[in-house]
Amino acid sequence: MGKADTKTTMKTLEFGANKLGLHLTSRQFEQFQVYYRELIDWNRRMNLTAITDYEEVQVKHFLDSLTVVQALKLPLSKGVKLIDVGTGAGIPGIPLKILLPEIELVLLDATKKKAGFLEHITEKLKIKNTRVVVGRAEEIAHKSEYRQQFDLVLSRAVAGLSALVELTLPFCAVGGRFIAQKKGSIETEVQSARQAIFLLGGELTDVKTVELSEFSDRRLLVVIDKVMETPAQYPRRPGIPAKRPLV
Ligand code: SAH
C-alpha cells in the first residue's frame, strides 16, 4: 500500500481528528495503519482487543485516545512525561505518542504477554523515548524513578474511579494532571471517588463530555489535578485498591 493510499484509507480517523482541531501528517496516518495491522495480526495469537473492524478501531481506539487533547492543560511540549496505566495494547498511550512524538512515554501493564506486543509495536512504529514497564501499578508507583514523576497520567478501562486514582495519582507530579477516560453514567462513581481523590493529593477539576458524533455512547474525561503529594502509604498492596477502594 502506497503512502497516498494510506492517507485516504484512514478517512474516519482523519475526519474525527479534524473535529478535535488535529491535522495528522501522512507519516502519522502511516503509523496508525501499521498499528492497526499489527494489532489485528497479534490479536490472532493473544487477546489484545475485542474491537477489530477497521472503521471501529479508528473510532473506538485511535480517535477515542486522541480525545484527551480536549483536557490537556497546555499544548504538550518536548520532554513532557506521560504514563499510561493499564495500557493493554497501548491505548491511549500509543496514539498520543503518534500525535505528539516529542513526549516521553511510559506504557505500564501488569500482563507480560501484552508487553511483548508493546515492545514489538513501539519498535515497528519507530517511536522514541518510550519505555514498556511490566508490573502492577500498586508496586511500580512506589519506585522512586516512577513515583510523582509524570506531568500527565492517562488511563482507560482499568478500574472504578475510586480504585483507579490510587493506581494513577501516585505517578503524577505535583502540578501534573490525571485524565481518566470513562463511559456512561459516572456521576455516582465520581461522587464516591471524591474522598479518595483528596486523600491521594488530587483535586477534581472537570468532568468533560466528549462531543463527537462518531461515538454512539456517552464518553467522558475525568480531569484530576495533582495539588499535593501522595502520602507514602499509597498505593496499598496489589489488589487492595480494587477490593477496598478508599472512601
Ligand atoms: N487501556 C487499554 C486496556 C484496558 S484493559 C484499553 O483501554 O484498551 C485493562 C488493562 O489494565 C489490562 O491490560 C490489565 O492487565 C491492566 N491492569 C489492570 N490492573 C492493573 C494494575 N493494577 N497495574 C497494571 N496494569 C493493570
Side-chain angles (χ1 to χ4, degrees), residues 61 86-88 91 108-111 114 135-138 156-158 167:
H61 283 332
T87 189
I91 303 290
L108 171 66
D109 203 280
T111 312
K114 290 183 181 171
R136 300 218 33 154
E138 293 94 323
R156 188 184 85 161
V158 171
L167 302 177

Side-chain angles (χ1 to χ4, degrees), residues 9 11 27 29 42 52 54 63 65 81 85 88 97 99-100 111 124 173 181 187 205 220:
T9 53
K11 279 285 175 225
R27 168 165 158 80
F29 282 112
W42 281 60
T52 55
Y54 187 57
L63 183 61
S65 299
K81 293 170 85 175
V85 177
K97 176 68 179 168
L99 178 71
L100 306 159
T111 312
K124 193 101 188 165
Q181 294 188 259
E187 287 73 14
T205 301
L220 306 112

